[in-house]
Amino acid sequence: MHNVRLLFSIFLILLVHAFFSWYHNQPQDAGIDVPAGKLRSLSFAPFREGFSPLEEVSPLPEHIEEDIRLLADKTESIRTYSSLGGMEPTPELARKYGLSMIQGGWLGYSLTNNRKEVDALIKSANEHPDVVKRVMVGNEVLLRGDMDVDRLIGYIREVKRAVKQPVSYADVWSMYMKYPKLIQEVDFITIHILPYWEDEPIAVESASDHLEKIVKQVEDEARGIAPGKPILIGESGWPSTGRERGMALPSVVNAAKYIRGMIQIANHHGFDYNIVEAFNQPWKSNLEGVVGANWGLFSADRQAVFPLTGPVTENPNWLWHFLEATALWLLIVAIYFKKLVEMPMWRGALFLIMAQVLSVCLISLIHFLWYTSYSGWQRAYAILLIISNAYLGKLLLQRSHAILIGNGESLRLAEQLRTVYLFFIGLALYKTYGLAVNGRYLSFPVEQFLIPVIGLLSLMLFLAIQQRFDSRLLSFDQLTGGSLHTHRDRLIAYFLSFAVVAMLLGEIKAFMDGRDFIQAHPGFSEGLPVALLYTLHNQQLLSWLACLLVLSLAFWRNIDLKAKA
């Protein structure tokens, strides 16, 4: 491959990469701008990385003040969930920066802790009546099953007797439908409407209409019990990254779309609302995975996730990512330059394209894993995956070059490729069975396996071209250039194929086990088609199944060749 042609190929591939990066990251319309002025209320939990209510590591007073100062010109009110655990300075700081509060008391299964919270809530509400405008007794206690409704009502009545502010209880909207006597007990009805988390997930395009429908439904229920009782949408929002559920896809653009649409609906109908939430919550990743940690208007490092006006870009840092991927690619080109000059132009171009794709995958993986890692062990896992993918990428480039120039087998390279692929296959099986058994909060790890999958597909293509598209050349040993197949190959193929079936069945079962889903679709024959529809609309799920099938394909071929031998 002559120098001029090689340089032309490099320039053309770089140009195509630049175009696709630019086109894919064009600003998108996210709906009508939020009207000028402040938001009505934001959920406020000032837990930064390293701080967690689960581990009883409380936020520092200076962190609370910094966060309240940041929100002072963006919202009229904040909603808190606890009156203890480091949150004690919040009312004074809210007063300092001109914010009002919906102050909450956290209730759970511990009677001792409940007593402390209720006493602290009453004390704070009475000491700061100019700041604490409304009081919330408990949050999703019934949904979690921490106590029965009668005990909860007892706490509500106790707080109502002790404070002058309006008192309520917050839970998902279906709990007020299930326990309508709560409507009579509270001064205002507080419902959580989270279309992403519905038993039948709602696409973002339909989410605002869903919110409007649910509020009307609760209003109709309340009309027969306590006519005219106010309703507060206590939580509503959309995740900016994480696991797709049915047709509900977390993304930065979708989060902006939902928030803007929700505010339009609320302003049009006069609904009172509180957006969940002000800041991404790193500690929630231990309970609800990546998606649970990413509901904030601000990231964990207090940067705006998306604007409330104007177009929205899914990845505002796309140019830096493009430059980093290009730099990595050019490094690979420099390493292989002399070898590329000696290759036919079209084969060299194939190698360059593969190297470009692997570079993009690796840089994207680095940024994604680092952004969604919130603790030491999560970052250790991220580093392990990054190193493993980088090493595999190196091996794949070596094997691809060998195929394209017609070199024969290399036992050492084949052994290295098999070892790394066995690591990824073991990890894929572990991830898949976790998703199948209890995957509500687990993300599909597609990004972590793009290099292994694209690598296999590339080797299949290159080997097919080298041997004039002989379909018999799809076995893993032939792809890697060795003859190492063992009885384990049969197990690998079986396990990967079964994982696909298990993943589908697990996702369908997860939908059919939902309380509201069962109520809407009683009976197996009625629920199955609906659950299957949601499952097959999940693009992340389908992408993961495709990854598993690609990984299994070459091992099935190994079995066939061994049987013939």
Side-chain angles (χ1 to χ4, degrees), residues 31-50:
I32 300 173
D33 291 352
V34 173
K38 298 180 179 180
L39 301 171
R40 294 189 188 178
S41 183
L42 283 170
S43 290
F44 180 71
F47 292 93
R48 306 189 181 196
E49 186 175 324

Side-chain angles (χ1 to χ4, degrees), residues 14 21 33 97 103 113 120 150 152 176 240 260 267 332 383 441 470 506 540 547:
L14 183 60
S21 296
D33 291 352
Y97 291 97
Q103 182 155 6
N113 291 341
D150 292 324
L152 172 62
Y176 270 96
S240 58
R260 295 187 192 185
N267 289 341
I332 296 170
I383 291 171
Y441 302 116
D470 187 340
Q540 290 181 357
C547 289

Side-chain angles (χ1 to χ4, degrees), residues 541-563:
L541 168 63
L542 296 180
S543 297
W544 179 237
L545 295 181
C547 289
L548 294 173
L549 289 172
V550 170
L551 290 173
S552 70
L553 182 61
F555 285 94
W556 277 117
R557 187 60 185 159
N558 252 23
I559 294 171
D560 293 342
L561 292 177
K562 185 178 179 183

Side-chain angles (χ1 to χ4, degrees), residues 287-321:
L287 284 177
E288 300 176 356
V290 170
V291 71
N294 286 275
W295 287 71
L297 271 63
F298 293 89
S299 66
D301 56 3
R302 277 40 187 176
Q303 301 298 312
V305 175
F306 55 84
L308 294 175
T309 59
V312 178
T313 302
E314 186 65 34
N315 178 15
N317 299 314
W318 71 268
L319 182 57
W320 283 110
H321 296 182

Side-chain angles (χ1 to χ4, degrees), residues 44-48 50-53 56-65 67 84-90 302:
F44 180 71
F47 292 93
R48 306 189 181 196
F51 296 83
S52 169
E56 298 184 356
V57 182
S58 302
L60 302 177
E62 54 266 36
H63 289 170
I64 298 176
E65 181 165 10
D67 289 347
L84 296 172
M87 298 297 290
E88 294 87 344
T90 306
R302 277 40 187 176

